[in-house]
Amino acid sequence: MSDAEQTRQKILAVAADEIHQHGFQATSLSTILNRCGISKGALYYHFSNKIELGYAVFEESFVPLLLDTWQPALSQDDPIEGLCQFFTSMCNQMNSSEVVCGCPLNNLCEEMANVDEGFRLRILSMQEKLNALIVTALARVKGDLRPELKFTQVAYFIVATFHGSTSLSKSSRNKVLYQQVISELCLYIRSLKK
Amino acid sequence: MSDAEQTRQKILAVAADEIHQHGFQATSLSTILNRCGISKGALYYHFSNKIELGYAVFEESFVPLLLDTWQPALSQDDPIEGLCQFFTSMCNQMNSSEVVCGCPLNNLCEEMANVDEGFRLRILSMQEKLNALIVTALARVKGDLRPELKFTQVAYFIVATFHGSTSLSKSSRNKVLYQQVISELCLYIRSLKK
DNA sequence: ATGATAACCGACCACTCGGTATGTTACAAG
DNA sequence: CTTGTAACATACCGAGTGGTCGGTTATCAT
């Protein structure tokens, strides 16, 4: 990897972390510059402005991260159990600082969907992609599931509840509430089976 | 109502609207001043700083609004049907601009819970209050419900899913996704009955 | 050796923000 | 008639923001 590409990647990594922690609008370019140890010229050489940097972070950091996170759970032989274990283990692994940060996709959706059209479309696309992943996984074990289920609806329901649970834990600063919602979510997911 | 109190109420109303639309941090005092047709001196006569204004908006506008919104649904003879009708009718009533604004409680939680302790505690208190309302309603018809249910857990689950659904619709800019999640949520809620 | 270019530096700009300090006006009490 | 105070208005401040621009350095093809 060239020096320039290394710089670009470092900017992306630091920016992703800052955006995840403080949101896009509250993220200051000067903070990114300080953490990277570079100058403003360097940043504006690689990205034309703040929002283009934001788009790059979303596409090159958040999207792959989200896919890599959900994919394994959904690829298991039994995606129903895969999802339950995924949610439960995520809950167990989390420390308190991660609890408070939430899911980057949900965070950006709450903050930027009404503010910037470019963000909105990227977020929507990612939500649809995630939904399609879940629907595919459910369809794969269709025979084991209750026949009246609407997969798309169920998939959005699961994601909505998951994101809602992360929101809840932000105010309590611990994972107790998160744990309860996830526990109930697993009951619901398992009830999808015949 | 005195002139001074009228001024205060107008500031609160406009601030509540701005915060609901753009979030607390992105809300500019000068915008509030312009919309109210008052000067900065007037605002700082009634509120000591921006965050105290935010607290006042939360306590005097959002909390009563939320309670007035949820209370009727939960006070019905059958709170299960009350909740389902509440969610469904809210979905039908919403126009596209309301879809995009979401629930003030959830918005502030996502934005401010990690940022300011005063907001965090007020939000947490409201969430617990709302949860208690739902738990009480469920306990009232305990005999009709499945015996193994954990009411607190179920209540947090319902609120989490509701808030997650509002987040989803922010990116799609219509209520299709919201409708689907609510539809599935009603299926879940009705399944709580024996 | 030289010119070009990629990669970066850092001073500077216009602007907005929340907040403050001083000034003004209307009214009410003494 | 004076004085005091509630209820504002207005000018101003410092800090921080995203963004620009002229300059610098290292590398590399010719």
Side-chain angles (χ1 to χ4, degrees):
Chain A
M1 189 160 48
S2 68
D3 287 4
E5 186 57 25
Q6 232 166 347
T7 303
R8 200 187 119 93
Q9 290 303 322
K10 182 157 197 177
I11 296 174
L12 277 178
V14 169
D17 185 55
E18 287 291 325
I19 291 174
H20 189 198
Q21 280 192 50
H22 308 112
F24 176 77
Q25 302 182 93
T27 287
S28 161
L29 295 186
S30 60
T31 303
I32 296 177
L33 302 183
N34 287 337
R35 281 188 56 184
C36 289
I38 62 170
S39 69
K40 193 163 265 191
L43 193 150
Y44 274 87
Y45 175 79
H46 289 284
F47 304 94
S48 55
N49 50 37
K50 188 188 180 187
I51 211 153
E52 288 296 332
L53 169 60
Y55 295 163
V57 165
F58 187 84
E59 288 168 354
E60 300 178 39
S61 291
F62 289 163
V63 167
L65 173 75
L66 287 164
L67 292 178
D68 288 354
T69 307
W70 286 80
Q71 196 70 259
L74 295 167
S75 304
Q76 294 201 8
D77 287 347
D78 183 353
I80 296 294
E81 278 311 307
L83 275 175
C84 290
Q85 287 164 16
F86 167 58
F87 290 134
T88 307
S89 75
M90 173 173 292
C91 183
N92 293 333
Q93 285 169 14
M94 277 196 312
N95 56 45
S96 58
S97 74
E98 287 167 334
V99 171
V100 108
C101 278
C103 168
L105 178 60
N106 186 49
N107 292 356
L108 276 179
C109 180
E110 293 278 2
E111 182 192 3
M112 297 304 295
N114 315 353
V115 172
D116 178 80
E117 189 71 0
F119 261 120
R120 202 200 112 223
L121 293 175
R122 284 168 175 82
I123 291 163
L124 181 60
S125 160
M126 181 61 216
Q127 284 175 339
E128 288 169 348
K129 202 176 296 182
L130 179 56
N131 188 268
L133 276 182
I134 299 176
V135 168
T136 303
L138 293 178
R140 191 160 47 79
V141 292
K142 188 178 175 183
D144 302 334
L145 305 180
R146 281 157 41 207
E148 76 276 16
L149 293 180
K150 299 175 183 172
F151 289 163
T152 302
Q153 183 168 306
V154 168
Y156 277 126
F157 181 82
I158 292 173
V159 174
T161 305
F162 170 64
H163 285 161
S165 74
T166 68
S167 176
L168 264 183
S169 23
K170 285 184 184 178
S171 60
S172 62
R173 274 202 181 288
N174 59 48
K175 48 189 182 186
V176 178
L177 298 191
Y178 181 78
Q179 229 153 1
Q180 292 193 54
V181 176
I182 291 303
S183 177
E184 191 70 21
L185 178 58
C186 289
L187 287 180
Y188 163 82
I189 293 179
R190 292 202 172 96
S191 80
L192 298 176
K193 285 190 179 178
K194 274 178 186 168
Chain B
M1 187 160 48
S2 68
D3 287 3
E5 185 57 24
Q6 232 167 349
T7 303
R8 200 188 119 92
Q9 291 303 322
K10 182 158 198 176
I11 295 174
L12 276 179
V14 169
D17 185 54
E18 286 291 325
I19 292 174
H20 189 197
Q21 280 192 49
H22 309 112
F24 176 77
Q25 302 182 90
T27 286
S28 160
L29 295 187
S30 60
T31 302
I32 296 177
L33 303 183
N34 286 337
R35 281 189 55 184
C36 289
I38 61 171
S39 69
K40 193 163 268 189
L43 193 149
Y44 273 87
Y45 174 78
H46 289 284
F47 304 95
S48 55
N49 49 35
K50 188 188 180 185
I51 210 153
E52 290 294 333
L53 170 60
Y55 294 164
V57 166
F58 187 84
E59 288 168 353
E60 301 178 39
S61 291
F62 289 162
V63 167
L65 173 75
L66 287 165
L67 292 179
D68 289 352
T69 307
W70 286 80
Q71 197 70 259
L74 295 166
S75 303
Q76 294 201 10
D77 286 346
D78 183 352
I80 296 293
E81 279 310 306
L83 275 176
C84 289
Q85 286 163 17
F86 167 58
F87 289 134
T88 306
S89 75
M90 173 172 294
C91 184
N92 293 333
Q93 284 169 16
M94 277 195 310
N95 56 44
S96 59
S97 74
E98 286 167 335
V99 171
V100 107
C101 278
C103 168
L105 178 60
N106 186 49
N107 292 356
L108 275 178
C109 179
E110 293 278 1
E111 181 191 2
M112 297 303 296
N114 314 353
V115 172
D116 178 80
E117 190 70 1
F119 262 120
R120 200 201 113 224
L121 295 174
R122 284 167 174 82
I123 291 163
L124 181 59
S125 160
M126 181 62 217
Q127 283 174 341
E128 287 167 347
K129 201 175 296 180
L130 179 56
N131 189 267
L133 276 183
I134 300 176
V135 168
T136 303
L138 293 179
R140 190 158 49 78
V141 292
K142 187 178 174 181
D144 302 333
L145 305 180
R146 283 156 41 205
E148 76 275 16
L149 294 180
K150 300 175 182 174
F151 288 164
T152 302
Q153 182 168 307
V154 168
Y156 277 127
F157 180 83
I158 292 173
V159 175
T161 305
F162 170 64
H163 285 161
S165 74
T166 68
S167 176
L168 262 184
S169 24
K170 285 184 184 177
S171 60
S172 62
R173 273 201 183 288
N174 59 50
K175 47 189 183 187
V176 178
L177 297 191
Y178 181 80
Q179 230 154 359
Q180 291 193 54
V181 176
I182 291 304
S183 178
E184 190 70 22
L185 178 58
C186 288
L187 286 180
Y188 163 83
I189 293 179
R190 292 203 172 95
S191 81
L192 297 174
K193 285 190 178 177
K194 275 179 185 167

XYZ file of all heavy atoms in Angstrom, chain A residues 14-73:
474
model
N -10.054 6.818 11.332
C -10.277 7.774 12.418
C -11.637 8.454 12.271
O -12.385 8.603 13.245
C -9.147 8.821 12.455
C -9.506 9.963 13.384
C -7.841 8.176 12.872
N -11.958 8.832 11.044
C -13.248 9.488 10.800
C -14.396 8.548 11.142
O -15.392 8.964 11.745
C -13.346 9.939 9.343
N -14.262 7.275 10.786
C -15.308 6.297 11.108
C -15.509 6.213 12.617
O -16.643 6.188 13.103
C -14.936 4.929 10.542
N -14.418 6.202 13.337
C -14.510 6.124 14.799
C -15.171 7.372 15.385
O -16.044 7.280 16.251
C -13.109 5.931 15.385
C -13.161 5.719 16.882
O -13.876 4.802 17.323
O -12.497 6.484 17.620
N -14.751 8.531 14.898
C -15.329 9.784 15.404
C -16.819 9.874 15.082
O -17.615 10.276 15.925
C -14.589 10.980 14.795
C -13.195 11.216 15.349
C -13.223 11.684 16.807
O -14.155 12.416 17.166
O -12.323 11.311 17.579
N -17.165 9.505 13.854
C -18.574 9.578 13.442
C -19.403 8.593 14.257
O -20.517 8.893 14.673
C -18.706 9.302 11.935
C -18.093 10.452 11.138
C -20.171 9.104 11.537
C -18.042 10.217 9.635
N -18.842 7.409 14.494
C -19.563 6.414 15.285
C -19.788 6.914 16.712
O -20.829 6.676 17.305
C -18.789 5.101 15.304
C -19.555 3.961 15.911
N -18.947 2.822 16.355
C -20.874 3.800 16.166
C -19.866 2.005 16.851
N -21.040 2.569 16.749
N -18.798 7.617 17.238
C -18.904 8.054 18.632
C -19.750 9.310 18.794
O -20.525 9.420 19.759
C -17.504 8.330 19.199
C -16.760 7.078 19.622
C -15.528 7.418 20.430
O -15.577 8.183 21.378
N -14.400 6.858 20.038
N -19.580 10.270 17.885
C -20.218 11.570 18.101
C -21.211 11.973 17.026
O -21.781 13.060 17.100
C -19.148 12.664 18.203
C -18.065 12.365 19.199
N -16.771 12.110 18.824
C -18.098 12.235 20.542
C -16.046 11.856 19.900
N -16.824 11.925 20.955
N -21.420 11.109 16.035
C -22.283 11.487 14.926
C -21.524 12.281 13.882
O -20.404 12.754 14.134
N -22.136 12.451 12.712
C -21.443 13.111 11.610
C -21.278 14.607 11.849
O -20.181 15.154 11.751
C -22.200 12.877 10.296
C -21.610 13.604 9.131
C -20.456 13.131 8.517
C -22.188 14.766 8.653
C -19.900 13.801 7.439
C -21.636 15.450 7.581
C -20.488 14.960 6.978
N -22.379 15.260 12.188
C -22.343 16.719 12.296
C -21.463 17.185 13.445
O -20.795 18.213 13.348
C -23.764 17.263 12.455
C -24.681 16.866 11.316
C -26.083 17.435 11.440
O -26.373 18.496 10.906
N -26.963 16.724 12.129
N -21.448 16.444 14.529
C -20.646 16.842 15.687
C -19.184 16.442 15.531
O -18.354 16.801 16.363
C -21.224 16.235 16.954
N -18.883 15.712 14.478
C -17.488 15.348 14.239
C -16.749 16.537 13.635
O -17.169 17.093 12.623
C -17.405 14.142 13.287
O -17.805 12.965 13.975
C -15.985 13.947 12.784
N -15.654 16.918 14.287
C -14.873 18.067 13.825
C -13.678 17.610 12.988
O -12.961 16.686 13.358
C -14.392 18.865 15.032
O -13.310 19.682 14.672
N -13.513 18.275 11.865
C -12.376 17.927 11.008
C -11.063 18.114 11.751
O -10.134 17.325 11.596
C -12.391 18.796 9.738
C -13.578 18.565 8.807
C -13.416 19.369 7.531
C -13.739 17.095 8.479
N -10.965 19.138 12.557
C -9.702 19.396 13.256
C -9.373 18.258 14.225
O -8.201 17.933 14.420
C -9.773 20.729 13.995
O -10.815 20.717 14.927
N -10.400 17.655 14.817
C -10.150 16.492 15.670
C -9.561 15.345 14.864
O -8.601 14.687 15.295
C -11.463 16.033 16.334
O -12.026 17.111 17.067
C -11.197 14.853 17.256
N -10.130 15.109 13.704
C -9.615 14.056 12.831
C -8.163 14.344 12.473
O -7.302 13.457 12.524
C -10.478 13.941 11.558
C -11.900 13.499 11.927
C -9.858 12.966 10.559
C -12.843 13.418 10.735
N -7.889 15.603 12.111
C -6.517 15.970 11.738
C -5.547 15.708 12.890
O -4.470 15.145 12.696
C -6.473 17.454 11.340
C -7.394 17.861 10.200
C -7.200 19.316 9.846
C -7.183 16.973 8.992
N -5.935 16.119 14.083
C -5.071 15.907 15.245
C -4.805 14.430 15.484
O -3.660 14.023 15.682
C -5.703 16.534 16.493
C -5.619 18.042 16.454
O -4.774 18.615 15.776
N -6.517 18.697 17.172
N -5.862 13.642 15.497
C -5.707 12.208 15.758
C -4.860 11.535 14.684
O -4.119 10.586 14.960
C -7.072 11.531 15.849
C -7.780 11.735 17.181
C -9.025 10.878 17.282
N -8.778 9.456 17.086
C -9.716 8.516 17.059
N -10.982 8.855 17.215
N -9.411 7.254 16.873
N -4.969 12.000 13.447
C -4.182 11.404 12.359
C -2.763 11.974 12.311
O -1.868 11.384 11.702
C -4.858 11.649 11.015
S -6.364 10.707 10.737
N -2.576 13.131 12.923
C -1.273 13.780 12.846
C -0.976 14.313 11.458
O 0.172 14.279 10.996
N -2.000 14.779 10.777
C -1.815 15.328 9.434
C -2.363 16.745 9.390
O -2.922 17.238 10.363
C -2.519 14.469 8.365
C -4.027 14.470 8.632
C -1.956 13.071 8.328
C -4.832 13.857 7.520
N -2.194 17.373 8.250
C -2.662 18.745 8.097
C -3.967 18.776 7.319
O -4.388 17.778 6.726
C -1.624 19.564 7.342
O -1.582 19.113 6.004
N -4.570 19.934 7.335
C -5.840 20.092 6.619
C -5.661 19.889 5.118
O -6.530 19.347 4.441
C -6.423 21.480 6.913
C -7.846 21.630 6.491
C -8.502 22.808 7.142
C -9.249 22.393 8.406
N -10.108 23.480 8.906
N -4.502 20.286 4.631
C -4.217 20.085 3.215
C -4.262 18.624 2.824
O -4.767 18.265 1.750
N -3.744 17.772 3.694
C -3.735 16.338 3.413
C -5.153 15.809 3.292
O -5.487 15.065 2.358
C -2.981 15.603 4.517
N -5.990 16.212 4.234
C -7.368 15.726 4.203
C -8.083 16.180 2.940
O -8.744 15.389 2.263
C -8.115 16.214 5.440
C -9.465 15.550 5.703
C -9.750 15.516 7.199
C -10.607 16.248 5.002
N -7.912 17.453 2.604
C -8.620 17.977 1.434
C -7.960 17.551 0.125
O -8.497 17.804 -0.950
C -8.772 19.503 1.533
C -10.015 19.883 2.321
C -9.972 19.991 3.703
C -11.223 20.074 1.676
C -11.113 20.312 4.420
C -12.358 20.390 2.376
C -12.299 20.514 3.748
O -13.429 20.822 4.462
N -6.800 16.944 0.214
C -6.245 16.321 -0.990
C -6.995 15.030 -1.291
O -7.298 14.710 -2.436
C -4.752 16.051 -0.815
C -4.170 15.297 -1.972
C -3.860 15.946 -3.162
C -3.954 13.929 -1.890
C -3.345 15.252 -4.241
C -3.447 13.222 -2.968
C -3.146 13.879 -4.137
O -2.647 13.195 -5.213
N -7.341 14.294 -0.238
C -7.973 12.985 -0.434
C -9.497 13.066 -0.537
O -10.110 12.205 -1.168
C -7.587 12.054 0.715
C -6.158 11.615 0.672
N -5.706 10.663 -0.203
C -5.084 12.009 1.382
C -4.407 10.472 -0.021
N -4.001 11.280 0.934
N -10.092 14.075 0.101
C -11.556 14.188 0.063
C -11.941 15.636 -0.244
O -11.353 16.564 0.307
C -12.154 13.749 1.403
C -11.757 12.359 1.812
C -10.665 12.150 2.653
C -12.454 11.248 1.347
C -10.284 10.878 3.021
C -12.076 9.970 1.708
C -10.984 9.782 2.555
N -12.942 15.787 -1.104
C -13.247 17.131 -1.598
C -13.929 17.998 -0.538
O -13.834 19.213 -0.580
C -14.099 17.047 -2.858
O -15.262 16.290 -2.610
N -14.639 17.378 0.397
C -15.235 18.142 1.493
C -15.695 17.189 2.591
O -15.539 15.964 2.470
C -16.383 19.017 1.002
C -17.367 18.234 0.168
O -17.629 17.073 0.455
N -17.877 18.845 -0.874
N -16.289 17.742 3.625
C -16.638 16.918 4.779
C -17.650 15.835 4.430
O -17.545 14.691 4.870
C -17.185 17.802 5.903
C -17.383 17.047 7.209
C -18.113 17.886 8.251
C -18.288 17.105 9.544
N -19.130 17.830 10.526
N -18.631 16.210 3.638
C -19.702 15.244 3.382
C -19.246 14.114 2.477
O -19.681 12.969 2.630
C -20.957 15.956 2.813
C -22.197 15.195 3.266
C -20.898 16.101 1.314
C -23.421 16.027 3.356
N -18.316 14.409 1.567
C -17.757 13.339 0.734
C -16.938 12.380 1.602
O -16.935 11.174 1.366
C -16.898 13.928 -0.384
C -17.677 14.630 -1.488
C -18.598 13.689 -2.271
O -18.293 12.484 -2.349
O -19.633 14.163 -2.788
N -16.270 12.925 2.586
C -15.572 12.061 3.546
C -16.582 11.181 4.275
O -16.351 9.978 4.472
C -14.796 12.922 4.563
C -14.233 12.188 5.770
C -13.241 11.098 5.353
C -13.559 13.163 6.734
N -17.707 11.773 4.643
C -18.751 11.006 5.307
C -19.272 9.871 4.439
O -19.430 8.739 4.905
N -19.516 10.166 3.169
C -19.968 9.126 2.252
C -18.945 7.999 2.163
O -19.294 6.820 2.182
C -20.202 9.705 0.853
C -21.318 10.721 0.752
C -21.408 11.575 -0.342
C -22.297 10.812 1.742
C -22.431 12.498 -0.450
C -23.320 11.737 1.633
C -23.381 12.599 0.545
O -24.385 13.509 0.440
N -17.680 8.382 2.049
C -16.620 7.372 1.924
C -16.562 6.497 3.165
O -16.399 5.274 3.075
C -15.275 8.055 1.684
N -16.704 7.124 4.338
C -16.708 6.349 5.574
C -17.862 5.358 5.557
O -17.711 4.181 5.905
C -16.821 7.277 6.798
C -17.188 6.502 8.048
C -15.506 8.021 7.016
N -19.018 5.826 5.130
C -20.184 4.941 5.108
C -19.955 3.759 4.177
O -20.141 2.608 4.566
C -21.431 5.727 4.675
C -22.704 4.947 4.769
C -23.383 4.856 5.971
C -23.223 4.290 3.657
C -24.561 4.128 6.070
C -24.399 3.564 3.751
C -25.069 3.478 4.957
N -19.528 4.065 2.963
C -19.413 3.009 1.956
C -18.224 2.081 2.195
O -18.321 0.876 1.989
C -19.304 3.639 0.556
C -20.629 4.230 0.091
C -20.477 5.099 -1.143
O -19.325 5.333 -1.563
O -21.512 5.556 -1.671
N -17.107 2.658 2.640
C -15.892 1.852 2.721
C -15.650 1.287 4.122
O -14.823 0.388 4.290
C -14.680 2.672 2.258
C -14.834 3.146 0.818
C -13.662 4.001 0.362
O -12.512 3.686 0.721
O -13.906 5.012 -0.339
N -16.319 1.851 5.129
C -16.134 1.319 6.483
C -17.401 0.676 7.015
O -17.417 -0.496 7.369
C -15.675 2.424 7.438
O -14.355 2.842 7.122
N -18.468 1.458 7.071
C -19.679 0.975 7.740
C -20.354 -0.170 6.985
O -20.725 -1.184 7.590
C -20.652 2.137 7.956
C -20.193 3.113 8.998
C -20.745 4.386 9.078
C -19.192 2.770 9.918
C -20.324 5.292 10.052
C -18.757 3.676 10.877
C -19.332 4.938 10.940
N -20.517 -0.013 5.690
C -21.208 -1.058 4.920
C -20.496 -2.406 5.029
O -21.129 -3.407 5.378
C -21.389 -0.618 3.444
C -21.813 -1.800 2.579
C -22.422 0.493 3.337
N -19.194 -2.465 4.755
C -18.511 -3.754 4.919
C -18.589 -4.281 6.345
O -18.785 -5.483 6.566
C -17.055 -3.442 4.542
C -17.113 -2.220 3.732
C -18.286 -1.436 4.228
N -18.459 -3.390 7.302
C -18.538 -3.809 8.701
C -19.881 -4.454 9.012
O -19.965 -5.519 9.643
C -18.317 -2.598 9.606
C -18.530 -2.842 11.105
C -17.373 -3.618 11.684
C -18.738 -1.526 11.845
N -20.948 -3.811 8.559
C -22.288 -4.335 8.831
C -22.502 -5.685 8.158
O -23.026 -6.621 8.771
C -23.335 -3.334 8.338
C -23.469 -2.074 9.196
C -24.209 -0.975 8.450
C -24.191 -2.396 10.490
N -22.082 -5.774 6.898
C -22.253 -7.036 6.191
C -21.459 -8.152 6.865
O -21.964 -9.254 7.065
C -21.826 -6.875 4.724
C -22.736 -5.959 3.894
C -22.220 -5.827 2.468
C -24.174 -6.480 3.902
N -20.215 -7.839 7.228
C -19.389 -8.852 7.888
C -19.973 -9.260 9.241
O -19.699 -10.348 9.745
C -17.958 -8.321 8.089
C -17.207 -8.237 6.779
O -17.753 -8.701 5.761
O -16.086 -7.706 6.765
N -20.746 -8.354 9.837
C -21.314 -8.655 11.144
C -22.539 -9.559 11.032
O -22.690 -10.513 11.797
C -21.719 -7.339 11.849
O -20.596 -6.459 11.847
C -22.150 -7.610 13.272
N -23.407 -9.248 10.086
C -24.660 -9.994 9.969
C -24.501 -11.286 9.176
O -25.182 -12.283 9.448
C -25.727 -9.127 9.292
C -26.283 -8.042 10.161
C -25.707 -6.832 10.430
C -27.526 -8.057 10.887
N -26.500 -6.100 11.273
C -27.627 -6.818 11.565
C -28.555 -8.989 11.018
C -28.724 -6.505 12.372
C -29.653 -8.669 11.809
C -29.731 -7.437 12.486
N -23.637 -11.251 8.186
C -23.527 -12.373 7.250
C -23.344 -13.734 7.931
O -24.112 -14.665 7.647
C -22.359 -12.105 6.290
C -22.340 -12.971 5.037
C -23.460 -12.633 4.071
O -24.473 -13.337 4.020
N -23.305 -11.554 3.324
N -22.363 -13.869 8.832
C -22.119 -15.195 9.422
C -23.350 -15.764 10.116
O -23.642 -16.963 9.992
C -21.007 -14.915 10.443
C -20.355 -13.677 9.970
C -21.437 -12.864 9.350
N -24.082 -14.911 10.832
C -25.261 -15.393 11.553
C -26.300 -15.941 10.591
O -26.954 -16.958 10.866
C -25.857 -14.257 12.377
